[in-house]
C-alpha cells in the first residue's frame, strides 16, 4: 500500500534572507494568496536567536508572504515578560511598521477574546483558552527556533511554540502554573495545538541550542532552515536535526515518535503518525548532504 507522505523542506544555509523563500518554495504550496495572514513568532523573551525569532527571519518571512500575495499581515504574540517590552527590546516594531505589518499584542486582548476550549480528551483539568486572533486567523503561519528546553519541554519547536497562544496570570487566567506543575506537561503542550492548524510552519536552525534553552543554552551553528505544513512532521525532523548536531542525552537516546509531545500529538490527530509518512526534501542541490544527515537520524 502506498503511503501518503507529508513534505518537510530543508535548506542548508547561513543566509536567512534568501534561504527562507527558497525553503518555502520547495514545499510547492501557497496558502496565503488573497488571505489575511497572522504570523506567530517565538518572542517568549528578547534573547538572541535561537532564544527568540531572529529579526532577519521575521523580516524575510514577511517579505516572502507579501510576495506570495497576502492581503494583509499581522504579527500576534504573548511573551513571558510583557510582550510590548520584548518587542521593543528586539527592535522589531519599526521594522514591522516599514513592512506594513500590524502587531497584535495578546496582552491587550479582552477576556472574551481568550476563547475557551473544552476538549473531551485532554489532560488539562478544566480545558484551556486560546487567543481569538489565532482561532479566527484566515491564514496562520508559525515560525519557531531549533532548540532544546531544559524546563520540562525537552524541545521547543513548532508544537511548544504555541504555548504562547494561551494566556497567563496577567490576563486573568492561571494556565501556565498548571502547565509547568503537571507531570503531563508534554501532553498538555501537544493538546494546546488541537483547536487550530497553521497553514505554514517555519523553523530557523541557522543557530540552535543543543542543550539548555529556551532563552539561553549551548549554542551551535545548525546552518539550516525547515518548512512544512504539518507540526508533527516538523517537530520530528527538528528533533532529528538536533540529533545530527549532537544534543543532550534525552534527545539523543529517545526514538523520535516516543517523545511525549510528538506521541500525544499523533494520538489526537494533529499530524503524521510515523516517520514513514514524512518526505524530507532538499530545497537546493547543495542541501542534499545535510538532508541526508538529518534523514539518517529520522527514526
Amino acid at each position: 500500500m502506498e503511503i501518503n507522505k507529508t513534505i518537510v523542506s530543508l535548506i542548508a544555509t547561513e543566509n536567512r534572507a534568501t534561504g527562507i523563500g527558497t525553503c518555502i518554495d520547495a514545499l510547492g504550496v501557497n496558502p496565503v494568496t488573497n488571505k489575511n495572514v497572522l504570523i506567530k513568532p517565538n518572542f517568549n523573551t528578547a534573547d538572541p536567536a535561537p532564544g527568540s525569532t531572529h529579526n532577519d527571519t521575521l523580516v524575510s518571512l514577511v517579505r516572502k508572504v507579501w510576495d506570495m500575495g497576502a492581503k494583509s499581515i499581522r504579527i500576534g504574540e504573548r511573551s513571558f515578560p510583557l510582550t510590548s517590552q520584548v518587542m521593543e527590546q528586539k527592535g522589531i516594531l519599526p521594522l514591522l511598521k516599514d513592512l506594513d505589518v500590524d502587531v497584535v499584542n495578546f496582552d491587550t486582548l479582552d477576556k472574551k477574546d481568550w476563547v475557551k476550549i473544552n476538549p473531551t480528551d485532554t489532560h488539562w483539568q478544566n480545558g484551556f483558552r486560546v487567543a481569538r486572533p489565532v482561532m479566527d486567523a484566515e491564514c496562520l503561519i508559525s515560525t519557531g527556533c531549533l532548540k532544546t528546553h531544559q524546563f520540562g519541554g525537552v524541545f521547543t519547536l513548532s508544537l511548544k511554540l504555541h504555548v504562547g497562544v494561551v494566556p497567563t496570570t496577567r490576563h486573568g487566567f492561571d494556565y501556565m502554573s498548571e502547565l509547568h506543575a503537571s507531570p503531563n506537561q508534554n501532553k498538555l503542550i501537544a493538546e494546546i495545538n488541537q483547536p487550530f492548524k497553521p497553514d505554514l510552519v517555519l523553523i530557523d536552525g541557522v543557530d540552535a541550542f543543543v542543550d539548555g534553552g529556551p532563552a539561553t543554552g549551548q549554542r551551535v551553528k545548525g546552518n539550516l532552515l525547515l518548512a512544512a505544513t504539518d507540526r508533527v512532521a516538523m517537530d520530528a525532523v527538528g528533533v532529528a536535526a538536533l540529533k545530527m548536531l549532537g544534543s543532550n542525552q534525552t534527545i539523543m537516546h529517545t526514538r523520535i515518535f516516543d517523545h511525549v509531545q510528538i506521541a500525544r500529538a499523533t494520538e489526537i490527530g494533529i499530524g503524521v503518525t510515523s516517520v514513514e509518512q514524512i518526505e524530507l526534501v532538499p530545497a537546493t542541490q547543495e542541501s542534499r548532504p545535510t538532508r541526508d544527515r538529518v534523514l539518517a537520524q529520522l527514526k
Side-chain angles (χ1 to χ4, degrees):
M1 179 185 297
E2 184 176 348
I3 298 175
N4 291 327
K5 296 207 172 189
T6 294
I7 292 175
V8 178
S9 61
L10 177 153
I11 185 168
T13 185
E14 298 181 38
N15 191 327
R16 295 175 171 94
T18 60
I20 286 170
T22 303
C23 197
I24 291 173
D25 287 343
L27 289 178
V29 299
N30 183 345
V32 311
T33 302
N34 295 321
K35 299 284 183 64
N36 297 304
V37 177
L38 178 71
I39 298 177
K40 164 66 174 79
N42 182 345
F43 284 172
N44 187 53
T45 65
D47 292 277
S52 67
T53 299
H54 198 290
N55 286 6
D56 290 351
T57 299
L58 190 54
V59 167
S60 299
L61 177 59
V62 165
R63 287 176 173 156
K64 178 61 177 176
V65 172
W66 278 129
D67 288 345
M68 292 167 72
K71 185 188 299 182
S72 69
I73 304 177
R74 298 183 298 166
I75 301 294
E77 179 64 300
R78 185 275 291 162
S79 303
F80 170 54
L82 290 175
T83 305
S84 59
Q85 292 179 359
V86 170
M87 290 190 178
E88 288 170 5
Q89 289 169 16
K90 286 187 64 62
I92 196 65
L93 295 174
L95 300 177
L96 295 176
K97 184 178 180 180
D98 288 345
L99 291 165
D100 196 22
V101 174
D102 292 330
V103 174
V104 184
N105 181 345
F106 294 168
D107 288 354
T108 66
L109 295 178
D110 292 334
K111 276 197 173 184
K112 65 180 177 59
D113 288 323
W114 291 102
V115 180
K116 184 65 187 297
I117 308 296
N118 294 297
T120 56
D121 178 15
T122 184
H123 292 80
W124 289 91
Q125 295 175 10
N126 295 294
F128 54 94
R129 294 177 188 266
V130 173
R132 189 176 300 278
V134 172
M135 295 295 293
D136 292 350
E138 190 174 15
C139 176
L140 176 63
I141 298 175
S142 299
T143 182
C145 305
L146 184 65
K147 56 184 176 179
T148 51
H149 194 292
Q150 63 184 305
F151 301 117
V154 183
F155 53 86
T156 176
L157 299 164
S158 70
L159 291 167
K160 196 171 190 310
L161 173 70
H162 294 116
V163 172
V165 309
V166 175
T168 70
T169 52
R170 69 174 180 266
H171 309 108
F173 306 102
D174 198 18
Y175 296 112
M176 293 302 100
S177 293
E178 178 182 353
L179 176 70
H180 293 128
S182 175
N184 293 309
Q185 181 180 150
N186 283 289
K187 293 181 180 179
L188 300 183
I189 290 166
E191 291 164 8
I192 287 169
N193 288 265
Q194 195 170 21
F196 57 89
K197 183 182 184 301
D199 298 276
L200 181 64
V201 182
L202 182 79
I203 292 292
D204 178 356
V206 174
D207 298 287
F209 288 151
V210 293
D211 200 13
T216 60
Q218 183 181 339
R219 182 191 306 270
V220 300
K221 295 298 292 184
N223 291 335
L224 61 87
L225 298 163
L226 301 168
T229 58
D230 183 305
R231 286 161 287 180
V232 178
M234 173 61 86
D235 281 19
V237 173
V239 174
L242 289 172
K243 285 176 175 277
M244 177 198 72
L245 294 170
S247 191
N248 60 43
Q249 293 297 303
T250 303
I251 295 291
M252 298 303 293
H253 297 294
T254 305
R255 290 179 64 86
I256 289 174
F257 274 77
D258 288 343
H259 281 286
V260 178
Q261 273 190 62
I262 291 175
R264 181 59 179 154
T266 66
E267 288 175 356
I268 58 178
I270 288 172
V272 300
T273 59
S274 69
V275 295
E276 289 77 20
Q277 293 176 303
I278 301 171
E279 182 177 359
L280 185 55
V281 174
T284 62
Q285 188 65 31
E286 293 77 16
S287 301
R288 286 186 177 277
T290 302
R291 188 282 306 267
D292 292 346
R293 290 196 296 272
V294 173
L295 191 60
Q297 299 295 332
L298 192 60
K299 55 189 175 182

